[in-house]
Amino acid sequence: MFSKKNKIGRWALPVYIGTALLFSLTLTPEQLGAESAATPAVASMSLENTTPPITANLPALDTGDTAWVLVSAALVLLMTPGLAFFYGGLVRKKNVLSVLMQCFMLMCLISIQWVMLGYSLSFGPDIKGLIGNLDWFGLKNVGLAPFPDYSATVPHQAFMIYQAMFAIITPGLILGAFAERMKFSAFCLFSLLWTTLVYDPVAHWVWGIGGFLRTGGALDFAGGTVVHVNAGVAALAAALVLTFVERNMFAPREGNVALKPAEPAPAAPEKLAEDFGNKLGDDR
């Protein structure tokens, strides 16, 4: 698996390990202890205080809602390996491993991108209805407490990881448009750039508080706009661009005119008559 010819396997394992470590560091035991210790402090506040704390108006966590969101996130995550085997059955035998690795690598790359800045750009505080700011960069201020606008009865981090599953699978849907036609390194770069520059803003438009499509009344409960329409348009654009590049930039060229394969010149009439006469003589 880790031979010199297989450039994917040599650095796939370190990426997997780095992703696991990154998620393990997002919430430390000290932070858990601090949040649990803050709850009795709020409950023991003096009743004479006429200005109740903000947390007093927040709904309590619902264990059923939280369990359902986590199970749903796990089910959506399983769709990415399923998509990998689906696309693997549509390509030539020599490219099955490449397609599988591309889908599995999305789980690593987009997870890191989502934790670092993707979630903040998609669901962070609004900037003119177009995109979120970076106040939640690296999941800053995204803890176990509910966030009323997105997750009134669910931990904010549970909502974040649930949305991450959709950010992971959406670039995977685009993969079917250019399977076998793009290098692995180019695919990784394309996925990171497309998720940051296209998916995150569109997710904010439709799902984010203050997004101009959400404010205008757009409803998208199942990802029809953010995931499927978005991925479909991107897949068509990627296929057209790759076709143009293959036909015009990598074909043999002389100056600005692409060279076509040489065609044999048509034979003269007298030559055809001579060949026909020779063939009749051979038959006799």
Side-chain angles (χ1 to χ4, degrees), residues 189-209:
L189 180 61
F190 167 80
S191 300
L192 286 174
L193 292 177
W194 184 86
T195 303
T196 304
L197 301 178
V198 179
Y199 179 86
D200 293 344
V202 174
H204 184 79
W205 298 348
V206 180
W207 288 334
I209 298 298

Side-chain angles (χ1 to χ4, degrees), residues 250-273:
F250 292 101
R253 303 178 67 85
E254 180 180 1
N256 294 326
V257 180
L259 297 178
K260 296 182 179 180
E263 298 180 357
E270 55 271 16
K271 179 63 176 176
L272 293 176

Side-chain angles (χ1 to χ4, degrees), residues 243-258:
T243 301
F244 175 82
V245 170
E246 291 172 353
R247 291 181 178 178
N248 297 278
M249 298 183 65
F250 292 101
R253 303 178 67 85
E254 180 180 1
N256 294 326
V257 180

Side-chain angles (χ1 to χ4, degrees), residues 6-31:
N6 192 345
K7 297 181 180 180
I8 299 174
R10 287 187 294 176
W11 55 286
L13 183 60
V15 173
Y16 288 147
I17 297 175
T19 304
L21 291 176
L22 180 62
F23 275 111
S24 66
L25 293 176
T26 56
L27 192 63
T28 62
E30 291 76 8
Q31 291 174 327

Side-chain angles (χ1 to χ4, degrees), residues 49-60:
N49 187 359
T50 57
T51 304
I54 298 177
T55 55
N57 298 325
L58 295 180

